Amino acid sequence: DGERLLTFHDHRPASDLHLLVIPKRFVRDASQLRPADAPLVHEMHSTAHRLARRLAAEAFDEEQLSLGFHWPPALSVPWLHLHAIYPRAR
């Protein structure tokens, strides 16, 4: 977590590790992102990657990390959130 983001475990994990990274500033979904939001998206990706690497420790395999956003109309929650799922093979 930092000044602009919150991170927590998904309450319905799709794998052993399933994190959600969300901005503190409200953005409804990925379709609402603008070019000016590129630094925010980059920060979300780097935070998810860093935490997944730390939590998986020595077992971390880059190929097994899946990062992604929902795209409308497939929204589970009306607040932008990045899923970090590891390992993807489970």
Side-chain angles (χ1 to χ4, degrees), residues 47-70:
T47 297
H49 188 272
R50 185 180 79 260
L51 289 174
R53 180 180 289 279
R54 184 185 316 152
L55 293 170
E58 293 177 19
F60 187 75
D61 175 2
E62 187 86 32
E63 296 294 318
Q64 287 298 314
L65 178 60
S66 179
L67 299 176
F69 294 105
H70 287 281

Side-chain angles (χ1 to χ4, degrees), residues 25-35 37 41 68-75 77-81:
R25 173 178 63 88
F26 178 71
V27 178
R28 179 176 165 73
D29 57 59
S31 73
Q32 302 294 305
L33 293 169
R34 301 293 174 246
D37 294 316
V41 172
F69 294 105
H70 287 281
W71 193 259
L75 295 176
V77 177
W79 195 293
L80 181 69
H81 56 285

Side-chain angles (χ1 to χ4, degrees), residues 4 15 29 43 46-47 49 59 65 73-74 88:
R4 300 189 326 162
S15 192
D29 57 59
E43 185 179 353
S46 2
T47 297
H49 188 272
L65 178 60
R88 76 170 67 202

